[in-house]
């Protein structure tokens, strides 16, 4: 693979209760354990950051697929919501599960499903997670 860009982020502090900073200084904030996992929840957390990255990347893949298929009008007003769940994996560690909800108001149900399925095949996050964590794709109107 020819690398086109490399993101670099440094984490300091106490893991989930620490600070993250990107090498370019754009990211520079605290992270905290969510209340649901026994933390204070007063800052973002790794699952929110993963959800943000996956939603943005999948939405970009969706638009790229539509562009290649000459169906760009079908993604007008589109959005992607990512929900990332974390929990015990039964082997002493933790695992993730992702739900992506794709909203394509300009497409009918079949068109929306085809675009979402194709985007799932080209999205780098989908390719990285395939076979490793459960990713559920749903199309909403």
């Amino acid at each position: 693979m020819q690398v086109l860009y490399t993101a670099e982020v440094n984490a300091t502090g106490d893991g989930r209760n620490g600070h993250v900073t990107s090498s370019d200084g754009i990211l520079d904030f605290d992270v905290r354990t969510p209340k649901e996992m026994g933390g204070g929840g007063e800052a973002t957390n790794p699952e929110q950051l993963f959800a943000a990255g996956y939603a943005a990347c999948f939405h970009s893949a969706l638009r790229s697929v539509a562009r290649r298929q000459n169906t760009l009008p079908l993604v007008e007003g589109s959005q992607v919501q990512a929900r990332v769940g974390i929990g015990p994996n039964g082997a002493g560690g933790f695992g993730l599960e992702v739900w992506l909800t794709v909203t394509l108001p300009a497409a009918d149900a079949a068109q929306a499903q085809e675009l979402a399925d194709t985007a799932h095949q080209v999205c780098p996050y989908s390719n990285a997670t395939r076979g490793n964590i459960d990713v559920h794709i749903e199309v909403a109107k």
Side-chain angles (χ1 to χ4, degrees):
M1 178 179 88
Q2 178 187 354
V3 175
L4 300 175
Y5 169 75
T6 300
E8 183 180 333
V9 176
N10 191 42
T12 58
D14 186 19
R16 289 181 164 274
N17 294 301
H19 194 85
V20 293
T21 309
S22 61
S23 58
D24 60 8
I26 293 173
L27 289 180
D28 187 359
F29 49 81
D30 291 336
V31 291
R32 296 289 183 263
T33 301
K35 289 180 182 180
E36 297 82 355
M37 294 177 65
E42 60 276 340
T44 192
N45 59 65
E47 291 70 39
Q48 287 177 335
L49 296 172
F50 187 74
Y54 205 155
C57 189
F58 196 90
H59 199 210
S60 181
L62 191 68
R63 294 187 62 78
S64 176
V65 166
R67 211 172 5 266
R68 279 188 278 154
Q69 293 179 352
N70 290 324
T71 58
L72 205 50
L74 295 179
V75 296
E76 287 300 317
S78 62
Q79 69 178 32
V80 175
Q81 177 194 62
R83 298 182 318 274
V84 174
I86 183 171
N89 65 7
F94 286 83
L96 299 175
E97 190 168 22
V98 174
W99 295 265
L100 296 173
T101 302
V102 178
T103 304
L104 294 162
D108 67 32
Q111 293 168 321
Q113 191 65 58
E114 180 193 342
L115 284 166
D117 290 344
T118 305
H120 189 44
Q121 295 306 308
V122 301
C123 174
Y125 275 66
S126 292
N127 289 332
T129 59
R130 189 170 290 111
N132 297 310
I133 66 174
D134 290 333
V135 176
H136 310 277
I137 310 287
E138 56 190 8
V139 175
K141 261 311 211 178

